[in-house]
Short mmCIF file of all heavy atoms in Angstrom, two decimals:
data_model
loop_
_atom_site.label_atom_id
_atom_site.label_comp_id
_atom_site.label_asym_id
_atom_site.label_seq_id
_atom_site.Cartn_x
_atom_site.Cartn_y
_atom_site.Cartn_z
N TRP A 1 40.12 104.74 124.32
CA TRP A 1 40.17 103.32 124.40
C TRP A 1 40.23 102.68 123.03
O TRP A 1 39.88 103.19 122.10
CB TRP A 1 38.94 102.83 125.18
CG TRP A 1 37.60 103.17 124.62
CD1 TRP A 1 36.98 102.34 123.75
CD2 TRP A 1 36.91 104.30 124.70
NE1 TRP A 1 35.82 103.03 123.25
CE2 TRP A 1 35.75 104.26 123.86
CE3 TRP A 1 37.07 105.50 125.44
CZ2 TRP A 1 34.76 105.24 123.76
CZ3 TRP A 1 36.07 106.47 125.35
CH2 TRP A 1 34.99 106.36 124.46
N GLY A 2 40.79 101.48 123.08
CA GLY A 2 40.99 100.78 121.77
C GLY A 2 42.37 100.53 121.39
O GLY A 2 43.30 100.71 122.14
N ASN A 3 42.54 100.09 120.17
CA ASN A 3 43.91 99.75 119.62
C ASN A 3 44.75 101.03 119.49
O ASN A 3 44.38 102.02 118.93
CB ASN A 3 43.72 99.15 118.20
CG ASN A 3 44.93 98.56 117.57
OD1 ASN A 3 46.02 99.20 117.75
ND2 ASN A 3 44.81 97.45 116.99
N ASP A 4 46.06 100.87 119.94
CA ASP A 4 46.90 102.03 119.95
C ASP A 4 47.14 102.57 118.55
O ASP A 4 47.17 103.77 118.25
CB ASP A 4 48.38 101.65 120.34
CG ASP A 4 48.42 101.31 121.91
OD1 ASP A 4 47.36 101.56 122.56
OD2 ASP A 4 49.43 100.90 122.36
N TYR A 5 47.39 101.65 117.58
CA TYR A 5 47.51 102.06 116.10
C TYR A 5 46.34 102.57 115.38
O TYR A 5 46.43 102.90 114.25
CB TYR A 5 48.30 100.92 115.39
CG TYR A 5 49.79 100.95 115.44
CD1 TYR A 5 50.47 101.07 116.56
CD2 TYR A 5 50.48 101.22 114.23
CE1 TYR A 5 51.77 101.25 116.66
CE2 TYR A 5 51.87 101.30 114.30
CZ TYR A 5 52.51 101.35 115.53
OH TYR A 5 53.79 101.49 115.48
N GLU A 6 45.28 102.55 116.06
CA GLU A 6 44.05 103.16 115.56
C GLU A 6 43.61 104.20 116.38
O GLU A 6 42.42 104.69 116.26
CB GLU A 6 43.02 102.05 115.46
CG GLU A 6 43.39 100.98 114.39
CD GLU A 6 42.33 100.06 114.03
OE1 GLU A 6 41.20 100.32 114.24
OE2 GLU A 6 42.57 98.93 113.56
N GLY A 7 44.51 104.92 117.16
CA GLY A 7 44.18 106.06 117.97
C GLY A 7 43.55 105.83 119.18
O GLY A 7 43.10 106.85 119.88
N GLY A 8 43.38 104.58 119.67
CA GLY A 8 42.61 104.25 120.74
C GLY A 8 43.34 104.55 122.11
O GLY A 8 42.68 104.44 123.11
N ASP A 9 44.60 104.92 122.07
CA ASP A 9 45.40 105.19 123.34
C ASP A 9 45.85 106.64 123.29
O ASP A 9 46.86 106.89 122.63
CB ASP A 9 46.47 104.17 123.51
CG ASP A 9 47.24 104.40 124.78
OD1 ASP A 9 46.77 105.23 125.62
OD2 ASP A 9 48.31 103.72 124.98
N SER A 10 45.25 107.45 124.00
CA SER A 10 45.62 108.92 124.01
C SER A 10 46.40 109.24 125.30
O SER A 10 46.64 110.43 125.60
CB SER A 10 44.41 109.87 123.96
OG SER A 10 43.50 109.61 125.12
N SER A 11 46.78 108.17 126.03
CA SER A 11 47.43 108.45 127.25
C SER A 11 48.75 109.21 127.15
O SER A 11 49.17 109.97 128.06
CB SER A 11 47.79 107.10 128.08
OG SER A 11 48.63 106.31 127.26
N GLY A 12 49.44 109.15 126.09
CA GLY A 12 50.66 109.96 125.80
C GLY A 12 50.47 111.44 125.73
O GLY A 12 51.38 112.06 125.87
N VAL A 13 49.23 111.76 125.35
CA VAL A 13 48.95 113.18 125.17
C VAL A 13 47.81 113.63 126.16
O VAL A 13 47.34 114.73 126.06
CB VAL A 13 48.58 113.59 123.69
CG1 VAL A 13 49.78 113.36 122.87
CG2 VAL A 13 47.37 112.84 123.28
N GLN A 14 47.41 112.83 127.06
CA GLN A 14 46.23 113.05 127.92
C GLN A 14 46.35 114.34 128.66
O GLN A 14 45.35 115.09 128.70
CB GLN A 14 46.09 111.96 128.89
CG GLN A 14 44.69 111.96 129.64
CD GLN A 14 43.48 111.81 128.76
OE1 GLN A 14 43.48 110.94 127.85
NE2 GLN A 14 42.50 112.59 128.95
N ASP A 15 47.58 114.68 129.14
CA ASP A 15 47.77 115.93 129.88
C ASP A 15 47.66 117.21 129.05
O ASP A 15 47.32 118.22 129.49
CB ASP A 15 49.07 115.89 130.61
CG ASP A 15 50.20 115.70 129.74
OD1 ASP A 15 50.07 115.13 128.68
OD2 ASP A 15 51.31 116.30 130.01
N GLN A 16 47.72 117.08 127.65
CA GLN A 16 47.61 118.16 126.79
C GLN A 16 46.21 118.35 126.27
O GLN A 16 45.92 119.42 125.69
CB GLN A 16 48.42 117.89 125.56
CG GLN A 16 50.02 117.75 125.92
CD GLN A 16 50.71 117.36 124.69
OE1 GLN A 16 50.74 118.05 123.65
NE2 GLN A 16 51.39 116.21 124.77
N LEU A 17 45.32 117.39 126.53
CA LEU A 17 43.97 117.47 125.94
C LEU A 17 43.00 118.23 126.85
O LEU A 17 42.08 117.69 127.53
CB LEU A 17 43.48 116.01 125.65
CG LEU A 17 44.14 115.30 124.64
CD1 LEU A 17 43.62 113.86 124.55
CD2 LEU A 17 43.96 115.99 123.25
N GLN A 18 43.28 119.54 126.88
CA GLN A 18 42.46 120.39 127.74
C GLN A 18 41.87 121.51 126.84
O GLN A 18 42.53 121.91 125.88
CB GLN A 18 43.34 121.19 128.77
CG GLN A 18 44.12 120.23 129.72
CD GLN A 18 43.21 119.40 130.60
OE1 GLN A 18 42.25 119.85 131.12
NE2 GLN A 18 43.61 118.11 130.80
N ASN A 19 40.61 121.79 127.03
CA ASN A 19 39.92 122.84 126.34
C ASN A 19 39.87 122.43 124.73
O ASN A 19 40.28 123.37 123.91
CB ASN A 19 40.59 124.21 126.44
CG ASN A 19 39.69 125.38 126.07
OD1 ASN A 19 38.52 125.18 125.90
ND2 ASN A 19 40.26 126.48 125.88
N VAL A 20 39.54 121.24 124.55
CA VAL A 20 39.54 120.76 123.11
C VAL A 20 38.37 121.38 122.45
O VAL A 20 37.24 121.41 122.82
CB VAL A 20 39.44 119.29 122.99
CG1 VAL A 20 39.23 118.76 121.53
CG2 VAL A 20 40.67 118.63 123.62
N GLN A 21 38.66 122.01 121.13
CA GLN A 21 37.63 122.61 120.42
C GLN A 21 37.13 121.84 119.21
O GLN A 21 35.94 121.95 118.90
CB GLN A 21 38.27 123.98 119.77
CG GLN A 21 38.81 124.83 120.87
CD GLN A 21 37.70 125.38 121.86
OE1 GLN A 21 36.72 126.00 121.35
NE2 GLN A 21 37.90 125.25 123.04
N GLN A 22 37.96 120.99 118.72
CA GLN A 22 37.65 120.21 117.50
C GLN A 22 38.52 118.93 117.45
O GLN A 22 39.68 119.08 117.78
CB GLN A 22 37.76 120.93 116.22
CG GLN A 22 37.32 120.23 114.87
CD GLN A 22 37.75 121.03 113.68
OE1 GLN A 22 38.18 122.14 113.71
NE2 GLN A 22 37.49 120.38 112.51
N VAL A 23 37.95 117.81 117.06
CA VAL A 23 38.70 116.62 116.72
C VAL A 23 38.40 116.08 115.36
O VAL A 23 37.20 116.04 114.88
CB VAL A 23 38.38 115.46 117.85
CG1 VAL A 23 39.08 114.29 117.49
CG2 VAL A 23 38.76 116.05 119.19
N GLN A 24 39.51 115.72 114.63
CA GLN A 24 39.34 115.09 113.38
C GLN A 24 40.12 113.66 113.34
O GLN A 24 41.00 113.58 114.25
CB GLN A 24 39.96 115.88 112.27
CG GLN A 24 39.13 117.07 111.86
CD GLN A 24 37.95 116.75 111.09
OE1 GLN A 24 37.91 115.81 110.37
NE2 GLN A 24 36.93 117.65 111.16
N ALA A 25 39.62 112.79 112.53
CA ALA A 25 40.33 111.44 112.46
C ALA A 25 40.64 111.18 111.06
O ALA A 25 39.96 111.54 110.15
CB ALA A 25 39.40 110.39 113.08
N THR A 26 41.77 110.30 110.92
CA THR A 26 42.08 109.63 109.67
C THR A 26 41.88 108.11 109.79
O THR A 26 41.83 107.56 110.90
CB THR A 26 43.59 109.83 109.40
OG1 THR A 26 44.37 109.34 110.45
CG2 THR A 26 43.92 111.30 109.18
N LEU A 27 41.68 107.51 108.74
CA LEU A 27 41.63 106.02 108.72
C LEU A 27 42.11 105.52 107.40
O LEU A 27 41.57 105.84 106.25
CB LEU A 27 40.04 105.54 108.81
CG LEU A 27 39.85 104.14 108.54
CD1 LEU A 27 40.59 103.28 109.71
CD2 LEU A 27 38.31 103.81 108.69
N GLN A 28 43.21 104.85 107.46
CA GLN A 28 44.00 104.29 106.35
C GLN A 28 43.98 102.78 106.27
O GLN A 28 44.30 102.13 107.36
CB GLN A 28 45.38 104.77 106.31
CG GLN A 28 46.03 104.54 105.05
CD GLN A 28 47.38 105.29 104.93
OE1 GLN A 28 47.81 105.95 105.78
NE2 GLN A 28 47.90 105.29 103.61
N THR A 29 43.37 102.14 105.26
CA THR A 29 43.32 100.73 105.13
C THR A 29 43.84 100.30 103.83
O THR A 29 43.16 99.86 102.94
CB THR A 29 41.89 100.30 105.32
OG1 THR A 29 41.03 100.94 104.27
CG2 THR A 29 41.19 100.56 106.65
N THR A 30 45.23 100.39 103.75
CA THR A 30 45.84 99.91 102.56
C THR A 30 46.63 98.63 102.84
O THR A 30 46.78 98.25 104.07
CB THR A 30 46.84 100.89 101.96
OG1 THR A 30 47.85 101.18 102.93
CG2 THR A 30 46.09 102.33 101.70
N GLU A 31 47.15 98.03 101.87
CA GLU A 31 48.08 96.79 102.17
C GLU A 31 49.26 97.18 102.93
O GLU A 31 49.80 96.44 103.72
CB GLU A 31 48.44 96.18 100.85
CG GLU A 31 47.37 95.51 100.15
CD GLU A 31 47.78 94.83 98.81
OE1 GLU A 31 49.02 94.45 98.76
OE2 GLU A 31 46.89 94.53 97.98
N GLU A 32 49.74 98.39 102.78
CA GLU A 32 51.00 98.89 103.47
C GLU A 32 50.69 99.36 104.81
O GLU A 32 51.56 99.18 105.82
CB GLU A 32 51.65 100.00 102.63
CG GLU A 32 52.22 99.74 101.30
CD GLU A 32 51.14 99.65 100.23
OE1 GLU A 32 50.14 100.44 100.45
OE2 GLU A 32 51.24 98.92 99.20
N VAL A 33 49.54 100.01 105.12
CA VAL A 33 49.29 100.59 106.43
C VAL A 33 47.77 100.39 106.67
O VAL A 33 46.89 100.56 105.90
CB VAL A 33 49.44 102.28 106.33
CG1 VAL A 33 49.10 102.73 107.71
CG2 VAL A 33 50.88 102.50 106.00
N LEU A 34 47.59 99.89 107.98
CA LEU A 34 46.27 99.66 108.54
C LEU A 34 46.28 100.37 109.90
O LEU A 34 46.96 100.06 110.79
CB LEU A 34 45.93 98.25 108.69
CG LEU A 34 44.58 97.96 109.43
CD1 LEU A 34 43.43 98.64 108.64
CD2 LEU A 34 44.36 96.47 109.61
N GLY A 35 45.64 101.57 109.89
CA GLY A 35 45.60 102.31 111.17
C GLY A 35 44.85 103.66 111.06
O GLY A 35 44.31 103.95 110.02
N SER A 36 44.83 104.43 112.12
CA SER A 36 44.17 105.63 112.15
C SER A 36 44.84 106.50 113.22
O SER A 36 45.66 106.10 113.94
CB SER A 36 42.71 105.45 112.40
OG SER A 36 42.43 104.90 113.61
N ALA A 37 44.37 107.79 113.12
CA ALA A 37 44.92 108.83 114.14
C ALA A 37 43.94 109.87 114.38
O ALA A 37 43.00 110.00 113.65
CB ALA A 37 46.20 109.47 113.55
N PHE A 38 44.11 110.63 115.46
CA PHE A 38 43.30 111.77 115.79
C PHE A 38 44.11 113.01 115.92
O PHE A 38 45.30 112.87 116.32
CB PHE A 38 42.60 111.48 117.12
CG PHE A 38 41.51 110.46 117.07
CD1 PHE A 38 41.86 109.13 117.54
CD2 PHE A 38 40.17 110.69 116.60
CE1 PHE A 38 40.88 108.14 117.52
CE2 PHE A 38 39.18 109.69 116.61
CZ PHE A 38 39.58 108.40 117.07
N ALA A 39 43.54 114.12 115.60
CA ALA A 39 44.17 115.45 115.87
C ALA A 39 43.15 116.33 116.49
O ALA A 39 41.95 116.41 116.00
CB ALA A 39 44.62 116.04 114.59
N ALA A 40 43.49 117.05 117.46
CA ALA A 40 42.61 117.87 118.24
C ALA A 40 43.16 119.36 118.19
O ALA A 40 44.24 119.57 118.50
CB ALA A 40 42.47 117.45 119.67
N ILE A 41 42.28 120.33 117.92
CA ILE A 41 42.57 121.67 118.15
C ILE A 41 42.17 122.06 119.52
O ILE A 41 41.06 121.81 119.97
CB ILE A 41 41.70 122.63 117.08
CG1 ILE A 41 41.97 122.24 115.67
CG2 ILE A 41 42.15 124.12 117.36
CD1 ILE A 41 41.11 122.95 114.74
N LEU A 42 43.17 122.80 120.16
CA LEU A 42 42.94 123.23 121.54
C LEU A 42 42.53 124.64 121.51
O LEU A 42 42.62 125.38 120.51
CB LEU A 42 44.25 123.11 122.32
CG LEU A 42 44.77 121.67 122.35
CD1 LEU A 42 46.06 121.68 123.31
CD2 LEU A 42 43.81 120.58 122.81
N GLY A 43 42.06 125.18 122.65
CA GLY A 43 41.49 126.51 122.71
C GLY A 43 42.49 127.64 122.47
O GLY A 43 42.11 128.63 121.94
N ASP A 44 43.76 127.27 122.60
CA ASP A 44 44.84 128.34 122.24
C ASP A 44 45.24 128.28 120.76
O ASP A 44 46.15 128.94 120.33
CB ASP A 44 45.98 128.15 123.19
CG ASP A 44 46.72 126.87 122.94
OD1 ASP A 44 46.33 126.03 122.16
OD2 ASP A 44 47.71 126.61 123.70
N GLY A 45 44.59 127.38 119.97
CA GLY A 45 44.90 127.19 118.56
C GLY A 45 46.03 126.29 118.23
O GLY A 45 46.42 126.19 117.08
N SER A 46 46.57 125.63 119.28
CA SER A 46 47.59 124.57 119.02
C SER A 46 46.92 123.29 118.66
O SER A 46 45.73 123.07 118.75
CB SER A 46 48.43 124.50 120.14
OG SER A 46 47.85 123.99 121.35
N VAL A 47 47.70 122.22 118.26
CA VAL A 47 47.14 121.00 117.86
C VAL A 47 47.90 119.89 118.52
O VAL A 47 49.20 119.87 118.65
CB VAL A 47 47.30 120.78 116.28
CG1 VAL A 47 46.84 119.33 115.86
CG2 VAL A 47 46.44 121.86 115.56
N VAL A 48 47.15 118.80 118.93
CA VAL A 48 47.74 117.67 119.59
C VAL A 48 47.23 116.43 118.73
O VAL A 48 46.07 116.46 118.25
CB VAL A 48 47.21 117.51 121.02
CG1 VAL A 48 47.63 116.27 121.57
CG2 VAL A 48 47.70 118.70 121.81
N SER A 49 48.18 115.68 118.43
CA SER A 49 47.73 114.39 117.70
C SER A 49 48.27 113.08 118.29
O SER A 49 49.21 113.07 119.11
CB SER A 49 48.25 114.46 116.28
OG SER A 49 49.73 114.43 116.28
N TRP A 50 47.63 111.99 118.00
CA TRP A 50 47.99 110.72 118.52
C TRP A 50 47.41 109.67 117.62
O TRP A 50 46.44 109.89 116.82
CB TRP A 50 47.47 110.49 119.98
CG TRP A 50 45.96 110.47 120.14
CD1 TRP A 50 45.25 109.37 120.28
CD2 TRP A 50 45.09 111.55 120.22
NE1 TRP A 50 43.86 109.68 120.38
CE2 TRP A 50 43.82 111.01 120.41
CE3 TRP A 50 45.20 112.92 120.14
CZ2 TRP A 50 42.69 111.83 120.43
CZ3 TRP A 50 44.07 113.71 120.29
CH2 TRP A 50 42.76 113.09 120.41
N GLY A 51 48.00 108.44 117.67
CA GLY A 51 47.55 107.30 116.90
C GLY A 51 48.71 106.96 115.96
O GLY A 51 49.88 107.16 116.24
N HIS A 52 48.35 106.13 114.90
CA HIS A 52 49.38 105.55 114.10
C HIS A 52 50.15 106.80 113.44
O HIS A 52 49.61 107.67 112.84
CB HIS A 52 48.63 104.86 112.98
CG HIS A 52 49.57 103.93 112.17
ND1 HIS A 52 50.65 104.31 111.45
CD2 HIS A 52 49.55 102.54 112.03
CE1 HIS A 52 51.24 103.38 110.91
NE2 HIS A 52 50.64 102.27 111.27
N PRO A 53 51.52 106.73 113.61
CA PRO A 53 52.37 107.82 112.99
C PRO A 53 52.26 107.91 111.51
O PRO A 53 52.39 109.11 111.05
CB PRO A 53 53.71 107.40 113.44
CG PRO A 53 53.72 106.14 113.95
CD PRO A 53 52.31 105.70 114.25
N GLU A 54 52.13 106.91 110.72
CA GLU A 54 51.94 107.06 109.30
C GLU A 54 50.58 107.60 108.91
O GLU A 54 50.37 107.75 107.73
CB GLU A 54 52.27 105.71 108.68
CG GLU A 54 53.72 105.27 108.89
CD GLU A 54 54.01 104.10 108.04
OE1 GLU A 54 53.55 103.80 107.02
OE2 GLU A 54 54.93 103.30 108.65
N CYS A 55 49.74 107.75 109.83
CA CYS A 55 48.35 108.25 109.56
C CYS A 55 48.11 109.68 110.09
O CYS A 55 47.00 110.00 110.21
CB CYS A 55 47.27 107.32 110.06
SG CYS A 55 47.41 105.64 109.42
N GLY A 56 49.21 110.28 110.54
CA GLY A 56 49.06 111.64 111.01
C GLY A 56 49.19 111.73 112.59
O GLY A 56 49.04 112.74 113.16
N GLY A 57 49.38 110.58 113.23
CA GLY A 57 49.40 110.54 114.56
C GLY A 57 50.59 111.14 115.35
O GLY A 57 50.70 111.40 116.47
N ASN A 58 51.59 111.49 114.51
CA ASN A 58 52.81 112.11 115.07
C ASN A 58 53.02 113.51 114.29
O ASN A 58 53.48 113.52 113.18
CB ASN A 58 54.04 111.26 114.90
CG ASN A 58 55.25 111.83 115.52
OD1 ASN A 58 55.38 113.00 115.87
ND2 ASN A 58 56.39 111.00 115.62
N SER A 59 52.70 114.58 115.03
CA SER A 59 52.80 115.93 114.42
C SER A 59 54.01 116.67 114.92
O SER A 59 54.15 117.94 114.60
CB SER A 59 51.55 116.65 114.70
OG SER A 59 51.37 116.91 116.10
N THR A 60 55.03 116.02 115.48
CA THR A 60 56.20 116.71 116.04
C THR A 60 57.03 117.44 114.92
O THR A 60 57.60 118.55 115.12
CB THR A 60 57.19 115.71 116.72
OG1 THR A 60 57.63 114.70 115.84
CG2 THR A 60 56.49 115.28 117.96
N ALA A 61 57.05 116.92 113.74
CA ALA A 61 57.84 117.59 112.62
C ALA A 61 57.24 118.90 112.08
O ALA A 61 57.97 119.74 111.68
CB ALA A 61 57.93 116.64 111.44
N VAL A 62 55.89 119.11 112.37
CA VAL A 62 55.27 120.40 111.98
C VAL A 62 54.68 121.16 113.19
O VAL A 62 53.96 122.12 113.08
CB VAL A 62 54.15 120.14 110.90
CG1 VAL A 62 54.72 119.64 109.65
CG2 VAL A 62 53.12 119.13 111.56
N GLN A 63 54.99 120.65 114.38
CA GLN A 63 54.40 121.28 115.60
C GLN A 63 54.58 122.78 115.68
O GLN A 63 53.64 123.46 116.02
CB GLN A 63 54.88 120.49 116.84
CG GLN A 63 54.09 120.78 118.10
CD GLN A 63 52.67 120.32 117.91
OE1 GLN A 63 52.43 119.19 117.51
NE2 GLN A 63 51.69 121.14 118.35
N ASP A 64 55.78 123.24 115.36
CA ASP A 64 56.05 124.74 115.41
C ASP A 64 55.21 125.49 114.45
O ASP A 64 55.10 126.76 114.62
CB ASP A 64 57.48 124.96 115.23
CG ASP A 64 58.09 124.49 113.88
OD1 ASP A 64 57.55 123.59 113.29
OD2 ASP A 64 58.98 125.19 113.31
N GLN A 65 54.57 124.89 113.42
CA GLN A 65 53.79 125.64 112.48
C GLN A 65 52.31 125.52 112.87
O GLN A 65 51.49 126.22 112.29
CB GLN A 65 54.01 124.90 111.04
CG GLN A 65 55.31 125.02 110.56
CD GLN A 65 55.44 124.08 109.29
OE1 GLN A 65 54.58 124.27 108.38
NE2 GLN A 65 56.45 123.26 109.30
N LEU A 66 52.01 124.68 113.82
CA LEU A 66 50.58 124.45 114.21
C LEU A 66 50.17 125.38 115.26
O LEU A 66 49.96 125.09 116.45
CB LEU A 66 50.46 123.06 114.64
CG LEU A 66 50.41 122.07 113.55
CD1 LEU A 66 50.39 120.60 114.09
CD2 LEU A 66 49.57 122.26 112.48
N ARG A 67 50.10 126.69 114.95
CA ARG A 67 49.72 127.83 115.84
C ARG A 67 48.51 128.55 115.11
O ARG A 67 48.48 128.69 113.95
CB ARG A 67 50.88 128.83 116.14
CG ARG A 67 52.02 128.12 116.72
CD ARG A 67 51.81 127.91 118.17
NE ARG A 67 52.99 127.14 118.85
CZ ARG A 67 53.05 126.00 119.18
NH1 ARG A 67 51.91 125.16 118.98
NH2 ARG A 67 54.02 125.43 119.76
N ASN A 68 47.66 129.03 115.94
CA ASN A 68 46.42 129.71 115.53
C ASN A 68 45.68 128.90 114.53
O ASN A 68 45.22 129.46 113.59
CB ASN A 68 46.87 131.07 114.91
CG ASN A 68 47.56 131.97 115.90
OD1 ASN A 68 47.08 132.07 117.05
ND2 ASN A 68 48.68 132.54 115.51
N VAL A 69 45.52 127.62 114.81
CA VAL A 69 44.82 126.76 113.83
C VAL A 69 43.30 127.03 114.12
O VAL A 69 42.84 126.91 115.24
CB VAL A 69 45.18 125.24 114.10
CG1 VAL A 69 44.29 124.42 113.26
CG2 VAL A 69 46.65 125.05 113.82
N GLN A 70 42.57 127.22 113.06
CA GLN A 70 41.17 127.45 113.08
C GLN A 70 40.35 126.13 112.75
O GLN A 70 39.25 126.04 113.35
CB GLN A 70 40.80 128.53 112.12
CG GLN A 70 41.45 129.90 112.34
CD GLN A 70 40.95 130.47 113.62
OE1 GLN A 70 39.77 130.65 113.86
NE2 GLN A 70 41.85 130.74 114.49
N GLN A 71 40.92 125.35 111.89
CA GLN A 71 40.14 124.17 111.41
C GLN A 71 41.22 123.11 111.00
O GLN A 71 42.16 123.41 110.53
CB GLN A 71 39.21 124.48 110.31
CG GLN A 71 38.27 123.43 109.96
CD GLN A 71 37.40 123.94 108.84
OE1 GLN A 71 37.28 125.16 108.50
NE2 GLN A 71 36.56 123.10 108.21
N LEU A 72 40.77 121.86 111.15
CA LEU A 72 41.47 120.69 110.58
C LEU A 72 40.73 119.95 109.66
O LEU A 72 39.38 119.89 109.74
CB LEU A 72 41.84 119.78 111.74
CG LEU A 72 42.77 120.16 112.83
CD1 LEU A 72 42.81 119.17 113.93
CD2 LEU A 72 44.22 120.32 112.25
N GLN A 73 41.27 119.47 108.63
CA GLN A 73 40.70 118.63 107.64
C GLN A 73 41.53 117.34 107.58
O GLN A 73 42.71 117.33 107.71
CB GLN A 73 40.59 119.22 106.18
CG GLN A 73 39.68 120.43 106.15
CD GLN A 73 38.20 120.02 106.32
OE1 GLN A 73 37.76 118.99 105.88
NE2 GLN A 73 37.50 120.81 107.17
N ALA A 74 40.86 116.07 107.37
CA ALA A 74 41.54 114.86 107.27
C ALA A 74 41.20 114.18 105.93
O ALA A 74 40.13 114.28 105.41
CB ALA A 74 41.08 114.11 108.47
N THR A 75 42.29 113.44 105.48
CA THR A 75 42.08 112.50 104.40
C THR A 75 42.31 111.08 105.02
O THR A 75 42.34 110.97 106.26
CB THR A 75 43.16 112.71 103.29
OG1 THR A 75 44.48 112.48 103.83
CG2 THR A 75 43.00 114.15 102.80
N ALA A 76 42.57 110.17 104.25
CA ALA A 76 42.69 108.75 104.71
C ALA A 76 43.98 108.67 105.71
O ALA A 76 43.96 107.88 106.65
CB ALA A 76 42.74 107.81 103.61
N GLY A 77 45.00 109.38 105.31
CA GLY A 77 46.24 109.27 106.00
C GLY A 77 47.02 110.56 106.37
O GLY A 77 48.17 110.48 106.65
N ALA A 78 46.31 111.67 106.31
CA ALA A 78 46.99 112.89 106.65
C ALA A 78 45.98 113.96 107.09
O ALA A 78 44.77 113.78 106.89
CB ALA A 78 47.69 113.51 105.33
N PHE A 79 46.48 115.00 107.77
CA PHE A 79 45.80 116.17 108.25
C PHE A 79 46.21 117.39 107.51
O PHE A 79 47.34 117.49 107.17
CB PHE A 79 45.94 116.30 109.70
CG PHE A 79 45.28 115.23 110.59
CD1 PHE A 79 46.21 114.23 111.10
CD2 PHE A 79 43.99 115.10 110.76
CE1 PHE A 79 45.66 113.30 111.99
CE2 PHE A 79 43.55 114.07 111.50
CZ PHE A 79 44.28 113.03 112.18
N ALA A 80 45.30 118.35 107.40
CA ALA A 80 45.70 119.70 106.95
C ALA A 80 45.08 120.72 107.97
O ALA A 80 43.92 120.46 108.49
CB ALA A 80 45.07 119.95 105.53
N ALA A 81 45.86 121.74 108.21
CA ALA A 81 45.46 122.75 109.25
C ALA A 81 45.13 124.13 108.50
O ALA A 81 45.98 124.52 107.68
CB ALA A 81 46.46 122.94 110.31
N ILE A 82 44.03 124.61 108.76
CA ILE A 82 43.78 126.04 108.36
C ILE A 82 44.09 126.95 109.45
O ILE A 82 43.53 126.91 110.51
CB ILE A 82 42.23 126.10 107.87
CG1 ILE A 82 41.98 125.06 106.80
CG2 ILE A 82 41.90 127.52 107.47
CD1 ILE A 82 40.50 124.93 106.38
N LEU A 83 45.02 127.83 109.12
CA LEU A 83 45.50 128.92 110.14
C LEU A 83 44.73 130.15 110.03
O LEU A 83 44.14 130.50 109.01
CB LEU A 83 46.97 129.12 109.85
CG LEU A 83 47.85 127.91 109.80
CD1 LEU A 83 49.38 128.26 109.56
CD2 LEU A 83 47.76 127.04 111.06
N ALA A 84 44.69 130.92 111.15
CA ALA A 84 44.14 132.16 111.14
C ALA A 84 44.84 133.17 110.35
O ALA A 84 46.00 133.14 110.14
CB ALA A 84 43.97 132.71 112.65
#
């Protein structure tokens, strides 16, 4: 729940959010970007993200690399994945 650009609307990925193991969030508050995003590791090691695209909410460009993810780390506007 909450503002779309701050990750508050996960309805676009709701059907993928099964067996969630870990969730991380970003929060960017610059003059250029105000928003946040979430990324979740699923039980099969894949990752689902949602929220502001400039804050990591759109992971489609790297989705094929997000396999066997063990851990996520977040900065103000980006995620990093630690693979097995």
